[in-house]
Amino acid sequence: MDVDRAVVWGVVGLVVVTTLVSGPLVGAVDLTSEAETPAYGSGSVTVESASLPERATLTAGRFGAGEYTLRVPDATVAITAVEGRPLLVYRLEIDERGYTRSTTHFLSTESVGSYTASMSDDTFPPDTVNRTSYEGRLQVVVRANDTSRVVAERSTTVEVIE
């Protein structure tokens, strides 16, 4: 029975000592600190090259009804170095429609090499599509330390498929 009592008092003593040492009165030990992680959008990235698709498609829904679906093929980006947590933005602009869509990719050291940047599909009501194609502009933009840098840009045709 004395062993059980000693274990209980030992645990109580450990809790009290830990509370005093790490508390606001003494503050000798900070048990709440974590390793500092850089903020998203900070650091740097080195891009060797980027390959952007020549065209995107705006495909009509099945059986002549429904919405048009915009699909933009992936961009391939050759990344040679990453420090911190920079951002990579893959963007499509169609000025004739007043349309912009972008996807933000959060980079890390694991992104080094051939990186695929994708953009999710979007839809348009059928009564808003009135041409056989639209001219667009694709960009790959790197954002780090409150600056933006276009690393690849090209004109692209958005082909309407009925």
Side-chain angles (χ1 to χ4, degrees):
M1 194 76 149
D2 289 333
V3 173
D4 292 338
R5 182 173 278 178
V7 169
V8 169
W9 281 109
V11 170
V12 168
L14 181 64
V15 169
V16 169
V17 168
T18 302
T19 303
L20 288 174
V21 170
S22 66
L25 293 176
V26 176
V29 177
D30 184 5
L31 300 176
T32 61
S33 65
E34 297 179 17
E36 193 170 314
T37 304
Y40 285 115
S42 65
S44 65
V45 59
T46 304
V47 175
E48 184 176 300
S49 65
S51 174
L52 299 171
E54 292 181 21
R55 71 181 195 115
T57 58
L58 195 53
T59 307
R62 293 186 173 249
F63 311 113
E67 299 176 320
Y68 282 80
T69 302
L70 173 65
R71 288 193 176 93
V72 180
D74 296 343
T76 304
V77 183
I79 298 174
T80 56
V82 174
E83 279 188 29
R85 299 168 91 181
L87 305 175
L88 184 134
V89 179
Y90 185 31
R91 178 173 41 222
L92 169 67
E93 294 176 357
I94 306 172
D95 291 334
E96 299 166 86
R97 295 191 56 92
Y99 176 84
T100 301
R101 182 163 188 91
S102 62
T103 303
T104 302
H105 299 262
F106 301 91
L107 301 178
S108 69
T109 54
E110 296 168 1
S111 305
V112 172
S114 182
Y115 185 84
T116 301
S118 61
M119 189 179 305
S120 60
D121 295 347
D122 200 2
T123 58
F124 295 92
D127 59 335
T128 65
V129 178
N130 52 16
R131 301 191 53 191
T132 57
S133 67
Y134 294 92
E135 287 305 311
R137 185 173 58 248
L138 286 170
Q139 291 181 325
V140 173
V141 179
V142 172
R143 291 187 181 159
N145 303 323
D146 296 325
T147 62
S148 294
R149 177 173 47 100
V150 176
V151 295
E153 182 174 30
R154 89 170 305 155
S155 294
T156 187
T157 301
V158 180
E159 182 181 343
V160 177
I161 302 172
E162 298 292 335

